[in-house]
Amino acid sequence: MQTIGVLALLRKERFLAISVLTTLAFYLFGDTLFGGLSSLYRLALVFFWLFSVVLGSALAVVRHAEGLAEKLGEPYGTLILTLCITSIEVVSITAIMLHGENNPTLARDTLFAVTMIVLNGMVGLSLLLGGWRYHEQYYNLQGANTYLGVIIPLGVLCLVMPDFIVTASGPPRMSAAQKIFVAAVSLGLYLAFLALQTSRHRAYFTVQNTVMDESKASDAKPSDSPLALHAILLVVYMSLVVYLAEKLAPPVDYVVETMGKPAALAGLAMAVLVATPEIVGAVRAAGRNNLQRSMNIFLGSVLSTIGLTIPAIIVISELTQHPVRLGLEHTDLLLFVLTLALCMVTFSSGRTNILQGGVHLILFLAYLFLIFAG
């Protein structure tokens, strides 16, 4: 019986072998693999090889985080997921920022892309799917208000205000003191939210008296793996993701700096990498008529992205003397403010419908259009 259990585990975790072999290949033969990036075919092969393996490993992180969520309950499961994905994001941005010539807008572009993907793409898809199948879905209004009450000021302080700082000459630029203030406020607000979410007001992030289709909710079979196994495999996959995400820096850097492509594409690539696992988790939850979990994932993702990534990037920037520019400009600024305003409307009643999902998806398509046609 034990042998059967081990074989079943190996079959279930077969992607782990791919991740390990890829890690060994780039550890032993990295210089050779990165040596011919001037060839478009070699560049595409290396990039999509790394990107697909990192994405697959990140999806495994989601699977084990969901397993922990079933064992630990909310909001701890969602919290583990968002912290893992934020770690991947920080490592990816840092690796590209420190590789080759400095790209001062990479962190800003990635944060903005994550916000657009999550608050418009992920929210739109979840609400559209949920509204199509269930007409209306319900969530805890107090929890949504708590999330937005922290996301909106953090978003404005970190991504809007820096572009309005007046300097004696040149473009708006934050001083060291202003960066420290923004980092301290971001981290402080996130920790305060964390304390509220995990102790005094845990009920804000669960649904009481939820109208759920039990037959659909039961489609998700609970994990029969022990808690320790989920935790161990989560750490293993996270370690592989962190290493391989760092190896993405050379091909991404080559595309932006050598081939002269828009810097926003690097931010979009990193954002897709870190947001896709959460998109899968949120859409699955909405499909099971558990919009509360979807909301915890997408709003928690944006909050942790801003509240934790910004302080980390600022500290790394100051320690390595690599400047970063945080303020959004022009069209991006308007899209960001419009997205925050739309979220206030969408999450203001405790229930959602298909139209709200469609509007969020329209904004997401506008974001993609403006990147490639702007």
Side-chain angles (χ1 to χ4, degrees), residues 9 61 63 212 270 278 283 288 307 326 352 358:
L9 176 63
V61 170
R63 178 160 50 83
M212 288 185 66
M270 292 298 99
E278 294 180 309
V283 173
R288 297 194 298 263
L326 296 177
T352 60

Side-chain angles (χ1 to χ4, degrees), residues 12 21 41 115 122 137 141 145 189 226 255 259 267 278-279 299 315 320 334 343 370:
K12 192 174 183 180
L21 290 174
Y41 297 106
T115 303
M122 186 193 299
Q137 291 185 296
L141 183 59
N145 288 337
L189 277 176
V255 169
M259 298 180 68
E278 294 180 309
I279 291 174
L299 293 183
V315 170
T320 60
L334 289 176
C343 286
L370 291 169

Side-chain angles (χ1 to χ4, degrees), residues 249-293:
V252 171
D253 192 60
Y254 186 88
V255 169
V256 173
E257 294 182 3
T258 306
M259 298 180 68
K261 299 301 180 181
L265 284 179
L268 179 61
M270 292 298 99
V272 169
L273 183 66
V274 299
T276 297
E278 294 180 309
I279 291 174
V280 172
V283 173
R284 280 179 182 170
R288 297 194 298 263
N289 202 19
N290 188 355
L291 186 63
Q292 182 63 45
R293 175 155 173 78

